[in-house]
Amino acid sequence: MAANLDKEAYYRRIKRLYGNWKKGEDEFGKVDAIVVSVGVDEEIVYAKSTAIQTWLFGYEVTDTIMVFCETKILFLASKKKVDFLKQVAITKGNENANGVPPITLLTREKNESNKPNFDKMIEAIRGSRGGKTVGVFSKDKFPGEYMKSWNDTLTAEGLEKVDISAVVAYTMAVKEDGELGLMKKAAAITSEVYSKFFKERVMEIVDADEKVRHSKLAESVEKAIEEKKYLGGVDPSTVEMCYPPIIQSGGNYSLKFSVVSDKNHMHFGAITCAMGIRYKSYCSNLVRTLMVDPPQEMQDNYNFLLQVEEELLKELKHGVKICDAYNTVLEYVKKEKADLVAKLTKNLGFAMGIEFREGSLVLNSKNQYKLKKGMVLSISIGFADLTNKEGKKEEQKKYALFVGDTVQINEEEAATVLTPVKKKIKNVGIFLKNDDEEDEEEEVDDAEELLGKGARGAALLADRTRLLGKNEMTAEEKRRAHQKELANSLNEEAKRRLTEQKGEQQIQKARKSNVSYKNVSQMPREKDIREMKIFIDKKYETVVMPIFGIATPFHIATIKNISMSVEGDYTYLRINFYVPGSSLGRQEGNIFPNPDATFVKEITYRASNLKAPGDTSVPSTNLQNAFRIIKEVQKRYKTREAEEKEKEGIVKQDSLVINLNRSNPKLKDLYIRPNIAQKRMQGSLEAHTNGFRFTSVRGDKVDILYNNIKHAIFQPCDGEMIIVLHFHLKNAIMFGKRRHTDVQFYTEVGEITTDLGKHQHMHDRDDLYAEQMEREMRHKLKSAFKNFIEKVETLTREELEFEVPFRDLGFQGAPYRSTCLLQPTSSSLVNVTEWPPFVVTLDEVELVHFERVQFHLKNFDVVIVYKDYNKKVTMINAVPVNSLDPIKEWLNSCDIKYTEGVQSLNWTKIMKTIVDDPEGFFEQGGWSFLDPESEQGSGAEEDSESEMEDETFNPSADETEVEEEDSDEDYSSETENSADYSASLGSEEESGKDWDELEEEARKADKESHYEDEDTSNKKRKNRSSTLPPVKKKRRS
């Protein structure tokens, strides 16, 4: 046999087997020798006899008998197999060199009786310990004359047989690092086949509404493992299925691994899939349930099932009894949802390795074995025979939920999941849009009625048209109703929040008082001071100036600016100081420790430029030196202050726990933004135990902890020139001497700049090749980034989830100077491809207001108001008007209140008013002043709005003529808007009022609003012009 045998692994494992036998626990204590006999049977896939051979030698060795005695080991096999086993046989002079008994190799004679060899083996058994009992694997029964004659010999000798399957399984259950590596690889392949083939195939079937049998789908999965693209580059010859994939749906479920996929068509409801792949003899397993349009109850039960699995993972630790882990999970189900206890699977999994299912290590209520570090289990939890109350057809009424993973037992931490396939409801739920189908069904039903009852055709047609009209309005009406609910809850929630915050007034920080000298002794005794010259003390950052003949110190922080000028024979040095009333900068405010003290605002010194006889230097030299040194000290002081200000409020982060494992998720050749240095540098991003570390080629390090990440955003390179991982942080971090709350890592996927001077041809071979290369590069980068993200999410147990922007929901806007594509994610609105980035957390948004929404304008502005009213509102300018409805729909789906208006508002004043008097603001109706449909808003803001509109709206002569032509229409529209008339806007017969009466009512209303009779016509025109945009807007919606 040309195959090599891993001698080191054999010695390690045979030592472990003998070690456990010598301890004599359980069945090991009852046996005097161990006998393992393996025949030939193609139908047997899993057997303990073949498993122990694979464990010891790395191969199955058929037609071989192994006898393990206390002081010797005997192997009886054919000549070729004996040659193979010679690799571990020990020579006589080196017995027990490895702490294991020596091996005696016996060659089997094919055509002759093996009685002499059998006698030698029986003799060895008799000489081992008591020589009366032998340990065997009682379930393993191999056919053939050779095996039969050996078993007859054992029986004839009267040797007692003891089944040692359980204790040997327990010995083999703890995996070495090499075995764990193979099992991890097997689990990774299973995950790949499920994600890239099975899940995609099910999506295609559902999307195309195909009819596919479970058995056919299972066969296609088996064929898929023959293709390298689903195996992560592994040789297909080393990969096989642990069992035929089990796919079930349509009410027929059996949550076991011994069943086979039936020939029924796949039903679009709860679809359970179980599959396991074996790599180099080591098994893995994965179970998932895909759900098509699951009702809420099904989703709740599924989420609970995931919680149960999490509880089980927490219990599976080194030293825990299997029955204790099972009972803890059962108690959890009883406590949370007692009605589901009867539906829970009878066991929660089993140990796995070379054999798929280890029958003696099943997770149930009776198993007394303790878990050990290094064991690998297949956990599988399900609820069977659940009832779908919304199901109408027979196959919809019953459903089952089933999830399972391959997990590794750790010392103290919860078990590690080796099959990192996402299983949250958003990852396994397939949600279809049924509105169109329902409309089609209604149309079909109506059509049938029309055909069947011709006499009532016209009436039915009218009804149908009216019905369709209603349906068209449904979405808009639903949106308005939802917004009304949000408006009510918004004011109540905001009022409650502000009431709770009352009393937590922000204390305005007094400006730091910089004292030059604490006592007179610190004053310098320099010659310049005695000579009444300006002196700069660099140590204490102080300027000592002569004032009225007294040397007076001023700290550099008190100097606002200095200037020097030469006029004729004199040099003038002018020094301006900070005083109450002068601006100290945007953020600092005019806060002084003693605002009532006497301050010097400015001081000017004059010195001659003419050199007097006997003087060594020109008098003005002192002023020139003072000017230069003051500038230097001021610059140094401001730099230091700026650095301190950057550090102010920085929350101290935990230290990064470095994981020394080389298999950490890692991305290379990335750039960081903002740059660490002036020039951008490449580096690598590596995920560790509790955070990321970016290391540049120069050696700079930037650490980002998982618990400090508010949003992790992955921007793929679809339609972009860069691919980005962006982290929006909860608390700012310092690097490059500045604080940053947004850090991103990116790499370029194409040429951002193009040489326009290069002559290009449409069919140039080089260009076509370059395009092809770029496409391949994009695909490779996307795969690398996705792989990194999946590994990180698994590492963090999905506590850190990466969000991908929804490009289809994106809209153009200018949050800063330039226009960019703003895209929503599941919890934010972002643009991370341009710099600076734009990230708004949706949970922090109070409401969104649309400004300048008018028909003659192509763009409008979006104002985002935050729940923290002290925070400055965010403005997004120049949003195209055709994006208005999609933005409204998106905000409505996110439960965010939105309003719109025709004017731009002074938000600084509005927010200041709210913060100064929140109670008064909410007593007057709160945010309803922004809503044009609310009565409070129209009443409270009517005067101010009409004044502003009078000032801003000046119609030309042409516009006035058009307006007069359409006066009837304007008047009716105006009447529509009035609160009194809106309720009676049905038919004329219902209202019972003619136009004259209505005009009379309007005149009375005008008089009550202090309108004068002589100016009525002028006022009406002005009022109509001012209300025109809202009327048009209302008609549009």
Side-chain angles (χ1 to χ4, degrees):
M1 227 180 224
N4 286 324
L5 196 154
D6 187 345
K7 288 187 274 189
E8 292 301 317
Y10 166 79
Y11 291 135
R12 278 197 314 272
R13 292 167 190 178
I14 201 76
K15 257 189 199 177
R16 195 199 300 178
L17 181 67
Y18 268 85
N20 285 1
W21 184 15
K22 281 175 185 173
K23 284 180 191 172
E25 293 175 1
D26 301 319
E27 282 78 16
F28 269 141
K30 300 173 185 175
V31 298
D32 299 321
I34 297 168
V35 175
V36 179
S37 51
V38 178
V40 179
D41 190 350
E42 295 295 329
E43 291 181 10
I44 294 177
V45 181
Y46 301 110
K48 190 68 74 239
S49 308
T50 55
I52 197 169
Q53 284 187 345
T54 307
W55 186 59
L56 290 172
F57 311 129
Y59 298 93
E60 283 184 24
V61 190
T62 55
D63 281 339
T64 303
I65 299 169
M66 301 188 293
V67 176
F68 300 95
C69 302
E70 191 174 20
T71 57
K72 62 170 78 171
I73 298 170
L74 289 86
F75 292 158
L76 173 60
S78 64
K79 190 174 184 305
K80 278 188 179 179
K81 288 161 190 167
V82 165
D83 290 341
F84 168 69
L85 294 169
K86 272 181 184 174
Q87 296 176 70
V88 289
I90 302 163
T91 57
K92 284 187 180 178
N94 197 21
E95 287 183 9
N96 293 311
N98 291 285
V100 292
I103 296 171
T104 303
L105 296 173
L106 304 173
T107 307
R108 174 192 161 206
E109 301 298 333
K110 276 192 179 180
N111 302 320
E112 297 176 22
S113 167
N114 285 291
K115 193 172 185 307
N117 289 329
F118 288 172
D119 290 343
K120 286 177 186 175
M121 294 168 90
I122 294 294
E123 186 187 335
I125 292 169
R126 292 288 186 196
S128 176
R129 296 192 178 185
K132 293 177 182 177
T133 56
V134 290
V136 295
F137 303 129
S138 56
K139 284 187 179 177
D140 295 0
K141 290 183 168 55
F142 288 92
E145 192 60 39
Y146 176 46
M147 287 292 119
K148 186 175 180 298
S149 60
W150 168 243
N151 288 325
D152 290 346
T153 304
L154 284 178
T155 309
E157 289 294 327
L159 294 168
E160 187 187 339
K161 293 180 183 176
V162 176
D163 186 13
I164 56 167
S165 300
V167 286
V168 170
Y170 196 58
T171 302
M172 293 164 61
V174 178
K175 305 293 183 287
E176 296 172 353
D177 289 345
E179 294 178 286
L180 287 173
L182 293 172
M183 296 197 79
K184 285 176 183 176
K185 189 67 181 172
I189 295 168
T190 307
S191 306
E192 287 279 299
V193 173
Y194 170 82
S195 302
K196 291 185 179 177
F197 179 79
F198 177 77
K199 190 178 175 186
E200 292 296 321
R201 181 72 186 109
V202 171
M203 299 276 273
E204 284 172 17
I205 292 167
V206 173
D207 199 36
D209 202 13
E210 291 180 49
K211 284 194 172 183
V212 178
R213 297 183 192 277
H214 296 141
S215 54
K216 286 287 180 190
L217 189 54
E219 283 173 22
S220 67
V221 175
E222 289 193 72
K223 285 178 184 172
I225 67 165
E226 295 170 9
E227 297 182 42
K228 264 194 175 181
K229 64 179 178 181
Y230 299 121
L231 306 180
V234 168
D235 182 4
S237 64
T238 59
V239 175
E240 60 182 323
M241 298 301 298
C242 296
Y243 56 92
I246 303 165
I247 297 155
Q248 303 175 95
S249 68
N252 298 320
Y253 301 94
S254 176
L255 307 186
K256 297 176 181 176
F257 297 102
S258 54
V259 296
V260 292
S261 301
D262 59 32
K263 292 186 178 180
N264 295 332
H265 289 112
M266 191 171 80
H267 172 253
F268 299 164
I271 305 159
T272 65
C273 167
M275 66 170 71
I277 284 175
R278 200 177 188 197
Y279 174 64
K280 291 187 178 177
S281 302
Y282 284 87
C283 299
S284 64
N285 198 27
L286 176 70
V287 185
R288 290 290 181 268
T289 302
L290 295 173
M291 292 168 281
V292 182
D293 276 337
Q296 191 57 47
E297 188 184 13
M298 189 187 289
Q299 292 183 42
D300 294 343
N301 286 338
Y302 181 79
N303 285 330
F304 178 65
L305 183 63
L306 295 186
Q307 289 171 21
V308 174
E309 190 187 18
E310 281 299 315
E311 285 298 313
L312 177 60
L313 289 172
K314 287 177 193 171
E315 291 300 315
L316 299 178
K317 294 177 187 173
H318 178 80
V320 175
K321 277 189 179 179
I322 288 174
C323 56
D324 293 346
Y326 177 88
N327 291 328
T328 304
V329 171
L330 197 65
E331 287 302 317
Y332 176 77
V333 177
K334 280 180 185 174
K335 182 185 168 187
E336 298 295 326
K337 288 196 176 185
D339 55 318
L340 292 178
V341 173
K343 314 286 186 185
L344 188 68
T345 45
K346 299 305 173 195
N347 67 64
L348 305 180
F350 41 79
M352 188 166 59
I354 295 168
E355 287 188 275
F356 173 68
R357 182 180 186 273
E358 184 42 69
S360 59
L361 292 172
V362 174
L363 274 65
N364 58 28
S365 58
K366 297 174 183 175
N367 202 322
Q368 295 295 315
Y369 280 111
K370 286 183 179 178
L371 295 169
K372 288 189 176 181
K373 182 187 174 184
M375 284 186 176
V376 175
L377 309 180
S378 165
I379 60 167
S380 48
I381 308 170
F383 295 131
D385 206 27
L386 296 169
T387 305
N388 179 11
K389 293 172 185 173
E390 296 180 24
K392 294 172 185 174
K393 297 178 183 175
E394 196 58 40
E395 60 264 29
Q396 294 175 335
K397 290 179 182 175
K398 295 280 181 189
Y399 71 95
L401 300 171
F402 202 20
V403 293
D405 286 287
T406 303
V407 303
Q408 178 188 335
I409 305 299
N410 299 318
E411 185 81 46
E412 292 176 358
E413 298 172 3
T416 305
V417 176
L418 304 181
T419 42
V421 177
K422 292 181 182 178
K423 50 183 177 276
K424 288 189 177 178
I425 197 79
K426 64 182 180 183
N427 306 117
V428 297
I430 303 167
F431 297 89
L432 305 173
K433 292 181 181 176
N434 290 324
D435 298 343
D436 298 340
E437 292 171 16
E438 286 170 11
D439 289 349
E440 283 170 18
E441 284 172 14
E442 283 176 11
E443 286 172 28
V444 169
D445 293 343
D446 290 338
E448 285 173 1
E449 283 182 354
L450 287 169
L451 290 168
K453 301 170 185 175
R456 291 175 56 222
L460 280 168
L461 189 62
D463 287 346
R464 181 168 169 271
T465 311
R466 198 156 49 238
L467 182 69
L468 288 172
K470 281 182 184 175
N471 286 344
E472 282 169 15
M473 291 299 291
T474 304
E476 178 62 25
E477 284 172 2
K478 277 183 183 175
R479 201 161 72 190
R480 284 188 181 178
H482 189 218
Q483 284 295 311
K484 206 168 184 179
E485 288 171 18
L486 289 173
N488 296 333
S489 61
L490 172 71
N491 282 332
E492 288 169 16
E493 177 65 26
K495 193 174 180 181
R496 183 189 60 75
R497 194 171 63 247
L498 287 171
T499 308
E500 286 173 4
Q501 289 173 358
K502 199 176 178 185
E504 296 177 18
Q505 294 290 331
Q506 203 172 9
I507 299 162
Q508 217 171 11
K509 202 171 155 191
R511 188 161 178 259
K512 191 168 74 175
S513 177
N514 291 296
V515 177
S516 296
Y517 306 112
K518 290 181 180 176
N519 51 56
V520 183
S521 63
Q522 290 179 333
M523 277 278 284
R525 304 278 188 267
E526 298 292 328
K527 183 185 173 187
D528 286 355
I529 295 174
R530 290 197 298 276
E531 291 176 359
M532 289 295 148
K533 291 181 179 178
I534 297 173
F535 174 76
I536 295 92
D537 186 352
K538 289 184 180 180
K539 183 183 175 183
Y540 289 98
E541 294 177 329
T542 297
V543 182
V544 182
M545 306 178 207
I547 297 179
F548 302 123
I550 299 169
T552 311
F554 288 86
H555 194 275
I556 199 76
T558 61
I559 297 174
K560 188 176 182 182
N561 54 46
I562 59 171
S563 62
M564 191 172 70
S565 60
V566 178
E567 294 177 17
D569 294 338
Y570 293 96
T571 295
Y572 294 86
L573 180 68
R574 182 179 175 185
I575 303 173
N576 290 321
F577 296 92
Y578 285 115
V579 294
S582 67
S583 90
L584 293 177
R586 202 178 295 167
Q587 304 296 332
E588 294 179 32
N590 298 337
I591 308 297
F592 284 83
N594 283 326
D596 297 329
T598 303
F599 289 84
V600 177
K601 187 175 183 182
E602 68 174 75
I603 191 166
T604 306
Y605 290 95
R606 188 184 76 169
S608 173
N609 292 334
L610 301 174
K611 189 176 178 183
D615 287 351
T616 54
S617 61
V618 178
S620 62
T621 308
N622 175 247
L623 295 188
Q624 290 167 0
N625 289 338
F627 176 78
R628 179 176 52 80
I629 298 169
I630 289 171
K631 281 282 186 188
E632 282 176 17
V633 174
Q634 206 173 26
K635 186 181 177 183
R636 194 174 65 200
Y637 172 77
K638 283 180 178 176
T639 305
R640 196 180 70 248
E641 284 288 297
E643 283 179 14
E644 284 177 11
K645 198 172 179 184
E646 286 291 324
K647 288 177 185 174
E648 210 172 71
I650 290 283
V651 178
K652 193 181 177 185
Q653 302 292 317
D654 298 333
S655 299
L656 183 73
V657 179
I658 300 293
N659 187 354
L660 299 172
N661 192 348
R662 287 186 179 180
S663 62
N664 287 341
K666 192 172 185 177
L667 280 175
K668 294 179 181 177
D669 301 329
L670 298 179
Y671 294 107
I672 185 172
R673 280 204 294 204
N675 295 332
I676 299 174
Q678 288 182 345
K679 193 179 179 184
R680 70 174 190 168
M681 281 182 293
Q682 281 191 329
S684 60
L685 181 69
E686 189 169 3
H688 290 281
T689 306
N690 65 335
F692 296 101
R693 168 165 283 182
F694 175 79
T695 311
S696 72
V697 289
R698 198 176 71 176
D700 306 282
K701 290 181 174 65
V702 176
D703 294 343
I704 300 170
L705 301 186
Y706 300 140
N707 59 11
N708 191 32
I709 296 172
K710 196 183 217 175
H711 298 291
I713 297 152
F714 168 50
Q715 172 72 63
C717 49
D718 303 325
E720 303 287 353
M721 298 306 290
I722 58 173
I723 185 166
V724 180
L725 286 182
H726 185 95
F727 299 111
H728 183 65
L729 307 178
K730 295 173 188 172
N731 301 306
I733 59 170
M734 286 284 293
F735 65 87
K737 294 185 180 178
R738 295 185 73 85
R739 55 193 291 170
H740 305 284
T741 50
D742 285 283
V743 185
Q744 68 174 225
F745 306 95
Y746 71 97
T747 189
E748 293 166 0
V749 292
E751 290 183 18
I752 291 178
T753 56
T754 306
D755 184 3
L756 297 175
K758 192 173 85 174
H759 178 70
Q760 290 180 325
H761 191 269
M762 156 177 199
H763 299 296
D764 188 358
R765 187 176 293 175
D766 290 343
D767 285 353
L768 291 173
Y769 178 71
E771 282 180 22
Q772 177 64 24
M773 289 298 289
E774 187 178 315
R775 273 196 295 272
E776 287 177 11
M777 170 69 92
R778 282 174 181 271
H779 180 69
K780 276 183 184 174
L781 282 170
K782 208 154 61 166
S783 299
F785 273 70
K786 278 186 177 176
N787 192 26
F788 176 80
I789 287 165
E790 284 173 8
K791 284 179 179 175
V792 169
E793 287 180 346
T794 306
L795 183 70
T796 59
R797 298 183 181 279
E798 293 191 16
E799 285 176 17
L800 177 67
E801 276 199 69
F802 282 83
E803 304 170 39
V804 179
F806 303 118
R807 196 175 181 85
D808 296 343
L809 298 176
F811 58 91
Q812 296 290 333
Y816 303 115
R817 291 180 183 177
S818 60
T819 303
C820 58
L821 180 67
L822 300 165
Q823 303 172 79
T825 71
S826 53
S827 63
S828 57
L829 177 66
V830 302
N831 171 266
V832 295
T833 49
E834 305 282 331
W835 197 265
F838 177 82
V839 182
V840 170
T841 305
L842 298 182
D843 287 344
E844 295 175 1
V845 175
E846 181 84 308
L847 65 90
V848 175
H849 182 66
F850 306 124
E851 292 184 340
R852 300 190 306 109
V853 180
Q854 298 185 53
F855 280 91
H856 61 277
L857 296 177
K858 290 181 181 178
N859 298 323
F860 66 96
D861 301 332
V862 176
V863 180
I864 299 170
V865 181
Y866 296 97
K867 288 176 181 174
D868 179 2
Y869 291 167
N870 293 307
K871 193 174 177 182
K872 191 180 175 185
V873 300
T874 298
M875 295 279 293
I876 303 171
N877 300 316
V879 181
V881 78
N882 58 3
S883 299
L884 182 62
D885 280 340
I887 294 172
K888 283 182 179 178
E889 192 61 47
W890 165 63
L891 290 171
N892 195 55
S893 69
C894 297
D895 292 337
I896 294 174
K897 169 69 182 161
Y898 62 79
T899 54
E900 61 181 89
V902 295
Q903 294 159 352
S904 296
L905 303 175
N906 187 339
W907 285 97
T908 310
K909 283 187 179 177
I910 290 171
M911 298 313 292
K912 189 175 185 303
T913 307
I914 297 169
V915 171
D916 289 348
D917 184 17
E919 290 175 358
F921 171 70
F922 287 108
E923 279 171 13
Q924 291 171 11
W927 290 108
S928 56
F929 80 92
L930 291 172
D931 202 334
E933 292 178 9
S934 70
E935 290 174 16
Q936 287 175 326
S938 59
E941 299 294 317
E942 189 176 0
D943 297 336
S944 63
E945 280 185 15
S946 61
E947 280 171 24
M948 289 176 77
E949 285 162 0
D950 286 345
E951 290 169 11
T952 57
F953 189 81
N954 296 311
S956 63
D958 295 338
E959 287 172 341
T960 312
E961 284 172 21
V962 172
E963 200 173 299
E964 284 172 358
E965 284 171 19
D966 297 332
S967 61
D968 289 345
E969 185 183 340
D970 285 350
Y971 189 83
S972 62
S973 301
E974 191 175 336
T975 316
E976 268 181 39
N977 275 344
S978 71
D980 296 332
Y981 189 62
S982 61
S984 59
L985 194 66
S987 63
E988 288 180 25
E989 293 171 357
E990 289 171 352
S991 64
K993 293 180 181 179
D994 60 15
W995 286 107
D996 294 333
E997 288 174 347
L998 293 171
E999 282 183 5
E1000 188 60 33
E1001 279 183 13
R1003 281 196 199 93
K1004 285 178 183 176
D1006 286 348
K1007 281 181 183 177
E1008 285 170 8
S1009 303
H1010 309 293
Y1011 280 72
E1012 294 180 9
D1013 286 335
E1014 59 267 26
D1015 294 325
T1016 302
S1017 60
N1018 188 34
K1019 289 279 181 183
K1020 270 186 186 176
R1021 186 180 296 115
K1022 197 175 285 185
N1023 203 22
R1024 281 201 295 273
S1025 68
S1026 66
T1027 55
L1028 188 61
V1031 170
K1032 283 185 179 178
K1033 183 188 74 185
K1034 188 173 183 183
R1035 191 174 295 158
R1036 179 187 179 211
S1037 64

